[in-house]
Amino acid sequence: MASLFDLHPPSDPSGALVEPAAATGPRRVSVMLPFPFPGPFDYNVPSDLDPAPGDVVLVPLNGREQFGVVWDAEPDPNLPARKLKALLAIVDTPPMRENLRRFVDWIAAYTLSPPGEVMAMALRVARPPTGPTTGWRRSTPMPDGVRMTPARHAVLDVLARAEPRATSELARAAEVSGAVVRGMADLGMLVMEALPADLPFVPPDPDYPGPTLSGDQKTAAVALRQAVAAKAFQVHLLEGVTGSGKTEVYLEAVAECLRQNRQALILLPEIALSAQFLARFERRFGVAPAVWHSHLTSRVRRITWRAVEDGQAPVVVGARSALFLPFPDLGLIVVDEEHETAFKQEDGVVYHARDMAVVRARLSAAPAVLVSATPSLETVANVEAGRYSRLHLPNRHGGASLPHIEALDLRDTPPERGRFLAPPLIAAMRETLARGEQVMLFLNRRGYAPLTLCRHCGHRMQCPNCTAWLVEHRTRSELQCHHCGHTTPIPPDCPSCGKANALVPIGPGVERITEEVAVLFPDARRLVMASDTLPGPQAAAEAERAIQNREIDLIIGTQIVAKGWHFPHLTLVGVVDADLGLAGGDLRAGERTVQLLHQVAGRAGRAEAPGRVILQTFSPEHPVMQALVAGDLETFMACEAAQRRPGHWPPYGRLAALIVSADSAQVADELARDLGRAAPQVEGVQVLGPAPAPLMILRGRHRRRLLLKTRRDTPVQPLLRAWLEKVKVPRGGRVDVDVDPVSFL
Ligand code: ADP
Ligand code: ZN
């Protein structure tokens, strides 16, 4: 994203040392606290302490002790010393380095987030070591005569796949109560064991024999190796069809980084990827890398953090929060599947991890490598403008051909009434299964049906807290809101007219497709892959193993199946509803659908057997379907660019959204209207709205949206700051800022 280069770091890049503020009185420092204050607070420094910028300190705040970090801002010399409180202590933990502090400042300024809230993402992990030193493992053999319950099974399952865990963490991972764990311990099913104080972070060996690269791969790998050796900031797009060897190529860059004795960070969009990815990494380097994601136990988190901090973990593979790890000497950042919207964090500090990875690389004087088969238009535009360089792998490795993609016109060959799979797709599935090959059906919808309505009175089952339908999850016999998580049992009678047995499911989710498939192919072994059926990396790893061992014939999945998997025996992919992502008029709906479906299609035919992809659609003439069928994404992206350029839509212009929310519709409307009236009146700047948000009510809060659109060369942050300052936010109201919005809900 271009703006990263146009905006300068917000604070003094020299990181000036903290000097005594005034000739008289005690020395003072500014301290950033992990709360949404507008900036750091000043504190007096007692004569026995000598804090330096980056030091983690303990300070008094509202009668409590809090951790904070000594910041580089100049303390305000005009505040009388007696008004300031004094530092309590300097905490014995590694200081937050200069370049991480600048990163925090940068993100805060760019996203208009309170800097303390951004800092909290880096500090949270820096807490001084605490936590369990012992954990439970399963006893072998199991004592005789103990009763096995589903809860006990769940506990043993967790321990079968992972290291010993303390009671609370074990209970959380198994989704049981602590009492279950303690009960099992009492029965002798679990035994206590000391947790090792350290994890072995064996340095990966860059000279471990890797694959012999093909010509194109070699060219790209040489370019990346040189970029790493140059120890300078550069951004490369590594683009190539699925299966072309992009991963092998960027692992060469990682090898070079290891030879330079610098650290490498590989960001992945979903942890689902990491099981397969780790095995992959291990094949290339002989050992596994350090990993960083939200499913780590607090102990592993702490140890990993330390290992990164003191340079013992040379390579980290992580989710977006890994950007905030304390690398002393980062030499490379790889962002795999850079086009993924999962890199955008939508809660709390709203930031795009791909874009912030570029910022972190720049602050570390290191190259960034953005990797994708279907790069975002943002990245493509940066290549075209000469800001990023492009490395291209045009062919699948080993002569594997790209899958054959066809559109199946549902108007010509509709599914049977009440069914969702059209006869030609069913026929193709039958042939594929008969050959002993695997089939994947893709539908980006969890649950059984997205809508339940009363066929007597037309009542629709809606979330009481959100403007959203409740989604039926038949296996759990409940209706769930996918926005707020609200659940309710499926009522026997219509809650509106009282008619019995009148509620009917409308439309399919993966569960319903699975039911249809079970009738059609009763002997096929089925697996549903969705975020709620594969909740963590271990479940994903187990699924992957079963598929690779051909214990599964038919996979029915949501977008979780699109990510990086390599299933050699999978030769048919059926997209149940290719039109699904195109509704809604989102700026990037077409781009995203092409990226997602291309990625899903790329799961087919990754080895010798050719792959086939069938897209069920009502509009085969749509440019998205045409591009997929022709395998010509470049022309599609060029059309997208041509459509966005004249109106200065991203990436040829900038957007920032203001999301107004309030506990009443009236407050939301008034606040939105006030913001509308105060909108900047500047040449080339347009404000759209206020308008009700598509999710007009979310978790009981009423929402309105405004959208600021500017030319590319207009920085939006000063405009937004001036705008927000003009409007007073009433009690119960709130304005959230989303710079470069990805979601418009
Ligand atoms: P991508 O990341 O572009 O989807 P991968 O790097 O995953 O592609 O490569 C696809 C498959 O081909 C992987 O199993 C990989 O190990 C294999 N592969 C790629 N390049 C080579 C090579 N030069 N020699 C041997 N195997 C390769
Ligand atoms: Zn809800």
Side-chain angles (χ1 to χ4, degrees), residues 224-237:
L224 291 184
R225 270 204 300 266
Q226 283 168 352
V228 171
K231 300 189 176 186
F233 170 64
Q234 285 178 329
V235 186
H236 297 268
L237 164 63

Side-chain angles (χ1 to χ4, degrees), residues 211-213 217 241-248 280 397 566 606:
T212 311
L213 298 183
Q217 292 177 340
V241 295
T242 51
S244 58
K246 297 184 295 297
T247 311
E248 298 294 355
R280 185 71 188 280
H397 168 74
H566 184 70
R606 293 189 48 111

Side-chain angles (χ1 to χ4, degrees), residues 463-468 470 480-486 697-699:
C463 176
N465 316 317
C466 306
T467 315
L470 291 173
Q480 186 189 34
C481 171
H482 283 184
H483 295 285
C484 73
H486 169 85
I697 307 176
L698 177 63
R699 296 187 184 88

Side-chain angles (χ1 to χ4, degrees), residues 409-548:
D409 192 336
L410 291 175
R411 292 168 305 192
D412 295 345
T413 51
E416 272 179 46
R417 253 184 85 80
R419 298 281 177 83
F420 302 94
L421 304 177
L425 174 57
I426 296 172
M429 292 172 69
R430 182 160 290 126
E431 288 161 23
T432 309
L433 293 171
R435 284 196 304 268
E437 294 166 3
Q438 292 165 324
V439 175
M440 176 186 277
L441 294 178
F442 172 74
L443 176 62
N444 203 6
R445 253 198 206 136
R446 288 187 287 133
Y448 187 83
L451 168 64
T452 302
L453 72 74
C454 172
R455 75 178 150 214
H456 186 65
C457 74
H459 176 77
R460 297 165 174 223
M461 297 297 291
Q462 195 181 335
C463 176
N465 316 317
C466 306
T467 315
W469 310 129
L470 291 173
V471 179
E472 177 178 350
H473 285 257
R474 190 161 284 193
T475 48
R476 304 197 301 259
S477 314
E478 62 185 21
L479 299 170
Q480 186 189 34
C481 171
H482 283 184
H483 295 285
C484 73
H486 169 85
T487 59
T488 176
I490 304 171
D493 311 326
C494 171
S496 178
C497 70
K499 180 106 177 147
N501 302 321
L503 292 176
V504 286
I506 304 295
V510 280
E511 282 182 19
R512 196 168 191 183
I513 298 300
T514 307
E515 187 182 86
E516 184 169 335
V517 155
V519 174
L520 291 167
F521 305 104
D523 300 331
R525 294 159 299 173
R526 298 171 295 274
L527 174 72
V528 177
M529 293 177 76
S531 57
D532 50 346
T533 64
L534 298 181
Q538 277 139 12
E542 171 54 25
E544 182 217 330
R545 190 201 56 74
I547 296 169
Q548 257 165 7

Side-chain angles (χ1 to χ4, degrees), residues 520-604:
L520 291 167
F521 305 104
D523 300 331
R525 294 159 299 173
R526 298 171 295 274
L527 174 72
V528 177
M529 293 177 76
S531 57
D532 50 346
T533 64
L534 298 181
Q538 277 139 12
E542 171 54 25
E544 182 217 330
R545 190 201 56 74
I547 296 169
Q548 257 165 7
N549 287 357
R550 304 175 92 156
E551 291 161 25
I552 301 293
D553 303 307
L554 236 164
I555 302 154
I556 305 100
T558 62
Q559 63 176 346
I560 201 171
V561 302
K563 318 283 159 60
W565 308 96
H566 184 70
F567 300 135
H569 310 292
L570 178 69
T571 55
L572 175 65
V573 168
V575 176
V576 176
D577 184 355
D579 309 327
L580 185 61
L582 294 173
D586 183 317
L587 165 74
R588 298 185 184 87
E591 180 190 347
R592 235 182 264 165
T593 303
V594 161
Q595 286 163 342
L596 179 62
L597 295 186
H598 181 82
Q599 205 74 33
V600 173
R603 298 315 109 208

Side-chain angles (χ1 to χ4, degrees), residues 47-108:
S47 56
D48 58 333
L49 293 182
D50 184 19
D55 280 350
V56 179
V57 292
L58 209 53
V59 298
L61 181 75
N62 298 331
R64 300 182 55 178
E65 296 185 357
Q66 290 293 351
F67 290 115
V69 174
V70 177
W71 221 247
D72 319 74
E74 278 299 330
D76 180 357
N78 301 318
L79 279 174
R82 65 191 150 75
K83 290 236 162 168
L84 300 184
K85 298 237 158 49
L87 287 189
L88 299 173
I90 298 175
V91 181
D92 182 21
T93 190
M96 189 177 289
R97 288 192 180 78
E98 156 93 29
N99 107 20
L100 192 49
R101 301 198 302 278
R102 294 296 74 78
F103 186 54
V104 166
D105 282 337
W106 210 100
I107 294 183

Side-chain angles (χ1 to χ4, degrees), residues 274-450:
S274 68
Q276 209 170 25
F277 185 86
L278 297 184
R280 185 71 188 280
F281 187 96
E282 197 164 337
R283 273 205 304 283
R284 174 63 186 81
F285 290 113
V287 295
V291 292
W292 189 263
H293 53 69
S294 58
H295 292 259
L296 298 180
T297 65
S298 62
R299 190 184 68 92
V300 172
R301 182 168 283 268
R302 191 179 69 236
I303 295 171
T304 306
W305 192 90
R306 286 276 178 168
V308 172
E309 146 71 31
D310 62 21
Q312 276 184 59
V315 184
V316 177
V317 176
R320 57 192 177 208
S321 59
L323 276 176
F324 296 90
L325 284 170
F327 297 97
D329 190 17
L330 195 53
L332 170 70
I333 305 183
V334 176
V335 184
D336 203 349
E337 312 286 10
E338 68 89 28
H339 61 278
E340 269 294 333
T341 50
F343 280 124
K344 180 78 190 267
Q345 167 148 316
E346 303 278 4
D347 306 322
V349 177
V350 179
Y351 69 95
H352 201 305
R354 173 196 61 217
D355 300 338
M356 296 310 131
V358 169
V359 173
R360 180 109 212 230
R362 184 155 57 83
L363 293 171
S364 309
V369 182
L370 311 182
V371 184
S372 177
T374 54
S376 61
L377 196 53
E378 275 70 12
T379 296
V380 171
N382 277 322
V383 170
E384 276 163 8
R387 285 181 289 263
Y388 295 179
S389 77
R390 175 176 183 254
L391 302 166
H392 190 214
L393 306 178
N395 303 312
R396 273 195 162 178
H397 168 74
S401 51
L402 280 169
H404 176 77
I405 304 184
E406 61 210 87
L408 197 171
D409 192 336
L410 291 175
R411 292 168 305 192
D412 295 345
T413 51
E416 272 179 46
R417 253 184 85 80
R419 298 281 177 83
F420 302 94
L421 304 177
L425 174 57
I426 296 172
M429 292 172 69
R430 182 160 290 126
E431 288 161 23
T432 309
L433 293 171
R435 284 196 304 268
E437 294 166 3
Q438 292 165 324
V439 175
M440 176 186 277
L441 294 178
F442 172 74
L443 176 62
N444 203 6
R445 253 198 206 136
R446 288 187 287 133
Y448 187 83

